[in-house]
Amino acid sequence: MFDPSGAARRYARRLALTMIVYAALTVAVPILIRATDARGPFLWILALLPALPLSAVFWLIGRYLVELTDEYRRLLEVRKALVATGFAMAAASAWGFLEVYAQAPHVPLFTVPILWFAGLGLGSLVNLVLERSEDAA
């Protein structure tokens, strides 16, 4: 769908830059931790670095929603985010109970936002199905 405001293009550019920083940090941080034998507060600061660009993505999504001028497109993006949230929270809750009661292996918490991003894809499918069913009606 055409985006006359350019919000999608700006969002894609911002997201690409943020993901490049995220990827670089996920590679660099373990190397830096080993190379510096980091401990204490310095270790915590290094360990938190990859969370910064990952967290920034949520701000970018919010900014994208604000910049969208087409209300229908905004509705679709909000629906995607709601589906993603439900998916990630349900998966995290279910796995948490599996860990506690069924001795499932521990999964790091940073998996939850990754599930959320996967949920955006699921939300896109939901939008597609709902749009097709509306067109058929």
Side-chain angles (χ1 to χ4, degrees), residues 2 13 17 31-32 35 41 46 49 51 56-57 81 89 93 97 107-108 118 122 126:
F2 177 67
R13 185 175 55 247
L17 290 171
I31 294 168
L32 284 169
L46 286 176
L49 287 177
V57 171
M89 297 306 285
S93 298
F97 285 114
V107 174
L122 182 61
V126 168

Side-chain angles (χ1 to χ4, degrees), residues 13-129:
R13 185 175 55 247
R14 293 171 185 149
L15 183 65
L17 290 171
T18 304
M19 288 293 92
I20 289 168
V21 172
Y22 172 70
L25 286 172
T26 58
V27 171
V29 164
I31 294 168
L32 284 169
I33 289 171
R34 283 191 300 276
T36 63
D37 194 30
R39 300 198 188 290
F42 182 59
L43 172 61
W44 284 64
I45 290 168
L46 286 176
L48 286 172
L49 287 177
L52 296 175
L54 194 59
S55 299
V57 171
F58 296 105
W59 179 82
L60 290 175
I61 291 169
R63 185 167 176 179
Y64 175 49
L65 291 174
V66 168
E67 290 180 357
L68 272 174
T69 56
D70 183 317
E71 298 210 6
Y72 183 69
R73 297 254 336 218
R74 187 178 299 134
L75 166 81
L76 295 176
E77 293 300 324
V78 169
R79 185 187 298 153
K80 274 179 19 183
L82 289 172
V83 169
T85 301
F87 172 73
M89 297 306 285
S93 298
W95 195 262
F97 285 114
L98 287 171
E99 283 187 23
V100 170
Y101 297 122
Q103 293 73 45
H106 176 68
V107 174
L109 282 175
F110 65 73
T111 305
V112 176
I114 294 168
L115 284 171
W116 191 86
F117 297 133
L120 288 176
L122 182 61
S124 292
L125 291 175
V126 168
N127 280 341
L128 184 65
V129 168

